[in-house]
């Protein structure tokens, strides 16, 4: 009988722990687990985590990943509540039936196409090799936009997928002739003197969408109030990311030199991170026309602004 009561007590304790979810019992703080890569494109959520570190209501637990596939796997399998992620990767997951919503932009602008010093203009890229991190990315879209703008097409160049950290050295070694990737790796290429900027993203695609803050439906549906508070705090953090504060938070998380960050942070901003229907429609058109996805999810299915 004593064993039974011990079993009962343990079971009740275990169940109440489950019922509390991610709520810390000690101080009643809600914890939101967010996956990120150490890039300037995720600075808004890193800033939010810092701003909320002493909050009595809600805190961000940052989970760092080394590559997009690893991060996406964590997001798709519900190991985290959300992520700062290339929006095209999340759109593909959504199209495949994973319950995800994009609730904000990761950043505004913030991409460049870097080329070797021998390339003077877009026409010089014909027959050359350009690296991108992943075909499901705004970097692949920007390379397509660059070629289209200059009367060329993706057929005129060789596209290779390469790990972002390898791109600056591949450019310096002459293995590739250009690349487009999440920052600060473009700035790394420029800082070595082996690469230069051919285009900034806003010259190719106004109001471009690159990374998104994406949350799981499970998190949004089971902890709606927490999700609302989290998204509000995220947008506040984005609006407060002055150049100086962005530099501070990047130094803390990115392991890059001041010179690289100085170059990189001039291309990006974090104000007003709402995803508008116009931005999303433009993105969807490009996703279809450049062959990333045949059937991207609609704005209504995938984007959530109405918390
Ligand atoms: Zn991005």
């Amino acid at each position: 009988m004593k064993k039974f009561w011990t079993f009962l007590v343990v079971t009740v304790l275990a169940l109440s722990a489950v019922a509390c979810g991610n709520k810390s019992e000690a101080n009643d703080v809600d914890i939101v687990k967010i996956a990120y890569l150490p890039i300037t494109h995720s600075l808004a959520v890193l800033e939010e985590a810092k701003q909320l570190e002493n909050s009595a209501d809600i805190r961000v637990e940052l989970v760092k990943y080394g590559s997009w596939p690893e991060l996406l796997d964590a997001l798709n399998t519900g190991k985290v509540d959300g992520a700062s992620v290339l929006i095209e990767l999340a759109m593909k997951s959504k199209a495949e039936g994973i319950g995800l919503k994009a609730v904000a932009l990761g950043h505004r602008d913030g991409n460049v196409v870097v080329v070797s010093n021998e390339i003077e203009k877009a026409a010089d890229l014909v027959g050359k090799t350009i690296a991108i991190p992943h075909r499901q990315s705004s970097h692949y879209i920007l390379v397509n936009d660059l070629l289209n703008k200059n009367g060329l097409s993706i057929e005129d160049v060789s596209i290779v997928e390469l790990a972002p950290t390898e791109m600056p050295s591949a450019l310096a070694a002459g293995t590739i002739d250009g690349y487009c990737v999440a920052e600060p790796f473009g700035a790394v290429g420029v800082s070595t003197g082996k690469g230069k900027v051919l285009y900034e993203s806003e010259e190719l695609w106004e109001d471009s969408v690159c990374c998104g803050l994406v949350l799981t439906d499970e998190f949004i549906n089971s902890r709606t109030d927490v999700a609302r508070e989290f998204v509000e705090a995220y947008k506040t953090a984005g609006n407060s990311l002055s150049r100086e504060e962005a530099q501070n938070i990047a130094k803390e998380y990115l392991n890059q030199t001041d010179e690289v960050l100085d170059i990189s942070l001039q291309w990006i901003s974090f104000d007003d991170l709402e995803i508008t229907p116009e931005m999303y429609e433009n993105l969807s058109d490009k996703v279809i026309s450049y062959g990333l996805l045949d059937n991207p999810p609609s704005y209504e299915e995938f984007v959530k602004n109405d918390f």
Side-chain angles (χ1 to χ4, degrees), residues 3-294:
K3 260 188 183 166
F4 169 78
W5 284 111
T6 309
F7 170 77
L8 191 67
V9 168
V10 169
T11 307
V12 167
L13 284 175
L15 284 175
S16 39
V18 169
C20 287
N22 289 330
K23 203 149 193 139
S24 158
E25 285 173 79
N27 50 14
D28 229 27
V29 174
D30 278 297
I31 306 291
V32 183
K33 278 177 87 164
I34 298 294
Y36 78 101
L37 297 192
I39 53 179
T40 60
H41 292 194
S42 60
L43 287 181
V45 81
L46 301 179
E47 174 70 14
E48 180 183 13
K50 186 180 163 194
Q51 290 188 358
L52 294 178
E53 66 189 354
N54 296 316
S55 161
D57 302 325
I58 181 171
R59 288 186 203 165
V60 181
E61 181 185 333
L62 295 167
V63 190
K64 180 173 156 183
Y65 286 90
S67 72
W68 291 121
E70 289 171 274
L71 175 144
L72 198 70
D73 183 62
L75 180 66
N76 288 352
T77 56
K79 287 198 186 83
V80 290
D81 299 313
S84 182
V85 59
L86 294 177
I87 199 157
E88 294 86 353
L89 286 173
M91 288 163 82
K92 184 161 188 279
S93 293
K94 174 71 182 173
E96 289 168 355
I98 309 282
L100 299 174
K101 294 278 187 304
V103 297
L105 296 169
H107 54 92
R108 311 291 303 261
D109 303 319
N111 285 298
V112 292
V113 179
V114 174
V115 294
S116 68
N117 290 323
E118 289 75 56
I119 306 286
E120 293 296 334
K121 54 190 182 305
D124 299 339
L125 288 170
V126 173
K128 304 289 190 191
T129 302
I130 301 177
I132 53 167
H134 201 290
R135 269 188 171 67
Q136 297 297 331
S137 72
S138 295
H139 309 104
Y140 184 53
I141 292 176
L142 286 164
V143 171
N144 272 277
D145 278 344
L146 182 161
L147 295 165
N148 273 8
K149 185 185 169 78
N150 290 282
L152 302 166
S153 86
I154 205 78
E155 308 297 326
D156 292 312
V157 299
S158 300
I159 295 291
V160 292
E161 290 183 356
L162 207 57
T165 50
E166 290 172 22
M167 293 186 191
S169 54
L171 187 77
T175 323
I176 58 173
D177 304 288
Y179 63 91
C180 184
V181 68
E183 281 298 308
F185 302 105
V188 172
V190 172
S191 75
T192 62
K194 301 289 186 184
K196 63 182 179 192
V197 175
L198 190 61
Y199 281 96
E200 293 186 23
S201 49
E202 60 265 45
E203 299 174 273
L204 299 168
W205 177 5
E206 199 183 339
D207 280 336
S208 60
V209 181
C210 172
C211 300
L213 178 67
V214 173
L215 303 180
T216 66
D217 285 350
E218 164 66 24
F219 169 53
I220 293 171
N221 296 336
S222 65
R223 299 196 287 154
T224 307
D225 290 345
V226 179
R228 180 187 307 117
E229 199 179 336
F230 169 76
V231 173
E232 274 171 21
Y234 174 82
K235 290 181 177 171
T236 303
N239 287 332
S240 68
L241 265 179
S242 62
R243 181 79 180 275
E244 190 188 3
E245 181 55 18
Q247 185 103 8
N248 289 340
I249 199 88
K251 278 182 81 154
E252 209 172 305
Y253 285 92
L254 268 46
N255 194 26
Q256 297 286 347
T257 64
D258 283 348
E259 188 199 357
V260 165
L261 294 176
D262 266 342
I263 296 170
S264 188
L265 291 172
Q266 65 185 327
W267 300 322
I268 197 165
S269 68
F270 303 91
D271 294 336
D272 192 10
L273 294 176
E274 182 165 325
I275 306 172
T276 67
E278 294 73 27
M279 280 177 193
Y280 189 78
E281 197 173 318
N282 199 1
L283 166 69
S284 293
D285 289 347
K286 289 174 188 283
V287 158
I288 294 169
S289 68
Y290 297 142
L292 283 73
L293 273 180
D294 293 332

